[in-house]
Amino acid sequence: MADSFPPRLMRTRLYEQVAGQISAWIAANGLAAGDRLPPERELAQRLGVSRATLSQALVALEVVGVVEVRHGDGTVVTERQQQTTRIVEAIRSHADRLPEVIETRDALETKIASLAALRRTDDDLARIDDALASMEADIEAGGRGVEGDERFHGAVTAASHSLLLARLMDEIGDLIKETRIESLGQPGRPADSLAGHRAIAEAIRAGDPEAASEAMHAHVAMVSDVALLREQP
């Protein structure tokens, strides 16, 4: 009879271990929705990890809905509490599907940007500009610009005047939101993302579909460079 071996063990990434420790600590201390976690510096010292690793773990927990990072209010527990093992599994599942989400987003949004350059109206441009201003104000105030980022891409999609493409973007909206949170949690990324948005907006304003498509492709490639993918085992 052939030997039977158990399945190969998966190497747990450090940020996954930290995320698991944080979720276990939340449960052990009975934290409820709206309760704040200790400041990042204190939490990193307690766990014996770097601020960078802690930040990555908190972003991963935010992506799966365990916590929410609020500007001026710290990291707050949400209502979606699960068992620690399931949380780590959800984080790993998110990391595993990131490449496919990025490919799909790139394919859709580069075409959307191209069409927006051809079809945009003055009202469309005004909505794009409002989204840029909103994101800039949030970043200047110390935020990550998540809402402004979402508004910008929504405004560009609307400017393409393609109901089918808009519907497809809506279908993957939750997955894109996960990648948005992950990306804007990277150091220096909000400002870089805003610069990419401005390049896209200028190409759309100029009515240059090729430049708009290229700017969107470069932007998606840049924001898709996230720590979860760089640390795949």
Side-chain angles (χ1 to χ4, degrees):
M1 186 174 71
D3 292 335
S4 177
F5 290 97
R8 183 178 178 181
L9 295 174
M10 293 185 66
R11 180 170 66 86
T12 304
R13 306 173 184 90
L14 180 57
Y15 78 87
E16 290 177 346
Q17 297 177 40
V18 174
Q21 288 178 298
I22 294 171
S23 62
W25 181 84
I26 290 172
N29 286 273
L31 269 64
D35 290 341
R36 283 195 297 268
L37 269 59
E40 286 192 21
R41 185 181 300 276
E42 178 185 341
L43 202 52
Q45 289 176 343
R46 287 190 188 185
L47 293 168
V49 297
S50 68
R51 289 282 297 276
T53 298
L54 176 65
S55 178
Q56 191 177 351
L58 290 175
V59 167
L61 288 172
E62 185 176 15
V63 164
V64 298
V66 175
V67 301
E68 180 181 354
V69 180
R70 299 176 183 171
H71 174 56
D73 202 23
T75 304
V76 180
V77 177
T78 66
E79 296 180 1
R80 291 173 54 190
Q81 284 301 304
Q82 310 169 45
Q83 293 181 352
T84 299
T85 52
R86 291 184 178 178
I87 290 171
V88 174
E89 288 171 1
I91 291 171
R92 180 167 294 158
S93 175
H94 164 73
D96 289 343
R97 68 174 175 258
L98 266 177
E100 188 174 6
V101 175
I102 291 165
E103 288 176 357
T104 304
R105 182 181 180 187
D106 185 41
L108 290 175
E109 292 208 84
T110 52
K111 183 60 178 179
I112 283 170
S114 175
L115 291 176
L118 294 171
R119 300 174 178 176
R120 88 291 185 275
T121 65
D122 289 342
D123 286 343
D124 291 327
L125 292 174
R127 282 190 288 269
I128 289 172
D129 288 340
D130 285 345
L132 288 172
S134 173
M135 186 174 183
E136 180 179 22
D138 187 20
I139 294 171
E140 288 180 349
R144 294 176 296 174
V146 174
E147 183 179 344
D149 186 289
E150 185 173 1
R151 283 180 57 191
F152 173 81
H153 286 277
V156 172
T157 298
S160 74
H161 295 276
S162 170
L163 292 177
L164 183 54
L165 284 173
R167 189 178 304 166
L168 291 171
M169 286 296 293
D170 188 58
E171 285 291 323
I172 62 170
D174 287 344
L175 297 174
I176 289 179
K177 185 175 182 179
E178 291 180 359
T179 63
R180 177 175 288 117
I181 292 171
E182 165 67 20
S183 178
L184 292 175
Q186 308 291 306
R189 182 60 55 77
D192 291 341
S193 181
L194 180 59
H197 287 178
R198 287 181 173 140
I200 296 164
E202 286 309 306
I204 292 173
R205 192 185 314 278
D208 188 335
E210 185 175 347
S213 178
E214 290 176 354
M216 181 64 82
H217 175 70
H219 173 67
V220 172
M222 184 269 293
V223 301
S224 298
D225 178 18
V226 294
L228 289 184
L229 291 182
R230 291 196 297 271
E231 296 193 10
Q232 291 279 19

